[in-house]
Structures are given as structure tokens and as C-alpha cells.
Amino acid sequence: MTSTQDLRVAAELAPPRAFDTACRMVVDYLSRVVPLDAWAVTRVADGHQTMLVTTDSDYGLTPGQTALWSSSMCQYMVAGTAPRIVPDTRTVPDLARIASEAAAHGMEVGTYVGTPIVSGDGSLWGTVVGMNRRPVAPETVDQEPLLDLLSSLLSSVLEADTAAVDSARALERAVSDAESDPLTGLLNRRGWERWLTREDERFRRFGDPASVVMLDLDNLKVVNDTEGHDAGDRHLRHCAAVLRSTIRSTDPLARLGGDEFALVAQIGVEDTQKLVERLRDALDSAGVPCSIGAAPFTVAGGFPGACAEADSLMYADKRARRGGDRGVPNPRPEPPDLSTA
């Protein structure tokens, strides 16, 4: 006789545990049940709204596209000053204004549908949003209970998936000693590359803001040649200590070899520039000046793209500093405003 403990559910019937999988299921379902020109799950962070999962038949929306939150219709839905389902955006002044601005750029939004995705602490994490070029039938508002149910389910999956990722990260940090640089105690190149590989999929899944910062010690060769390699090692350890004291303990920091360092700061573009300035001041004051380059993580380019761009900016900074220009290349400017979702 088979006990209930031995029963197994068929794989295709098991609920999704990964947030991105649940998002795909939700937008695909909504596109069939409430057929609008576009549906998407978006992440709201750092003053921007980023498309994570989309299904689109007209607007050309794709994952990774980003819009300013201040130009989003969703801001009014979240604030409670606009309904979650607006069959005709002309009937809501705030939405009508944004729709008019979008129409001037060839993007018509006659219908808006949106509902929030909430983090475990009750803060806004993102939205489920739908748009249609033309107004739809007023009865579409009858789908509000369905919209609420799906956004609630996504909020629950998000909380569970985030908790699972946090636990996995804690375990990975606990077993990372084999991937540490023996001189500085930071991650070595192998540990750095393994961290980027693990986290690239996670950051793409959740659309979290982050920036890669690459650093190169300016005068290590001079120290080695004039004072010896023991002094050079002390110089490297001192640089590592300054970097560690300037960033958050949860941000990965690595010595890639020689005089190269790298870190990932889980902050947005504006805060990244402030971090670069803070790092430069701390390193200069400590007598371990570095050339610095920083670039943001994007859903489209991932960590490989951010690392390549930050590395290029770091070398540009090094050339500028050798020429007497103390300015630091800025992180890539804000992405273009691609949507009014």
C-alpha cells in the first residue's frame, strides 16, 4: 500500500519555484485571457522601470528595455491615484498626459493595465503591466480580481525565490576560502569569475541594480623597483584594506592578479559615481592611488558587458591620469527612455 509520503506530482504539474519562470507563465496567460498589444513584468529600482519578461505584438518591447519611473503610468497606479485597469487612458488626466507625450513619439497607449508586485517587506518591487494602442471595452475592468490574484502569486514566488537565493549566497560565501587571494584575503580571479557566473543569472532574473568597478594601482611597479617586492606586497595589502573599508561587506571584492582589483556594488548609476569619487578620495589619502572605471549591469549585457565596459573606462582613466587629467570617466549615462509603461 502506497503512503501519501510516497506520492509524487508529475514534473509538468509542479508549481514554478523560480521567479522568472512564474513571470513568463503569468504574461503568457494574460496575453491569452486579456489580449492586449503588450504585457510585461517590470522591475522598479534606482528611479527606473526595467522590462524583465515581455509578450508583445505591436510595441516592440523586449527584456532589458528601461524607462524613467517618472514617465511611467504605473507610478499613478502604485500611488492609488489611477485605477489598475483603465480601458481608455483619455479618461484619467495623469495617464492622458503621458499618453499624449508618448503619442508625439509614435507610441500610442489607449489602454493601461497595471498591478504592483510587492517585496516581502511590503515595499514596491515591480509591476505587471499591459498596454494597448486603442481603447478596449469597458468590461475589461471585470478582470481586476484575476490581475490581483496573479500579482499576489508573483509576490509570493518572489519572496520564496529571494529567500532561496540569499541562503545560497550565504553558503557560497562560507565555502569561498579556496577562491581567495593569499596575499590580500580578497577573492582571487577564479573566485571572481565564479561569482560573476553564478550571479549573472540571478541579477538578470530579478533586474537588481548593480555596477562593476575595475581598479588598477598606479605605482606598484615603482614601489617594487625602488623598495623591493616585500614593500610591493605591503602596498597591495594596504590597497585591499582601504577598498574593503570603503565598500559594503556584502559587495564582492577581488584581486584579479598583479595590481588589478575589481568589485561589484549593488547600487544604481548615480550612487556608483559617488562611490567612485569616495574610492578615489580614500585611496589617494592612503597613498595607494588607483585608476578607476565603472559601468552598470544591464539585463541585456549582463556582467560580461559591464566588466568589459568598466575595464575600458579604467584604461581610459589611466591614460588621462598619465596626461595630468585627474578626472575619472563617468559610468555610462542613463539609458534612454524606451517605454511609458
Side-chain angles (χ1 to χ4, degrees), residues 40-55:
V41 171
T42 77
R43 174 75 158 107
V44 178
D46 189 34
H48 290 82
Q49 185 173 22
T50 301
M51 303 285 169
L52 296 184
V53 178
T54 62
T55 177

Side-chain angles (χ1 to χ4, degrees), residues 265-314:
Q266 297 183 49
I267 53 179
V269 173
E270 292 183 0
D271 288 334
T272 298
Q273 182 56 28
K274 295 175 184 176
L275 173 62
V276 168
E277 293 168 358
R278 190 164 67 249
L279 286 168
R280 180 175 294 287
D281 289 344
L283 292 164
D284 285 350
S285 297
V288 283
C290 288
S291 300
I292 306 174
F297 173 92
T298 65
V299 173
F303 279 119
C307 286
E309 187 170 359
D311 202 48
S312 177
L313 288 170
M314 183 270 291

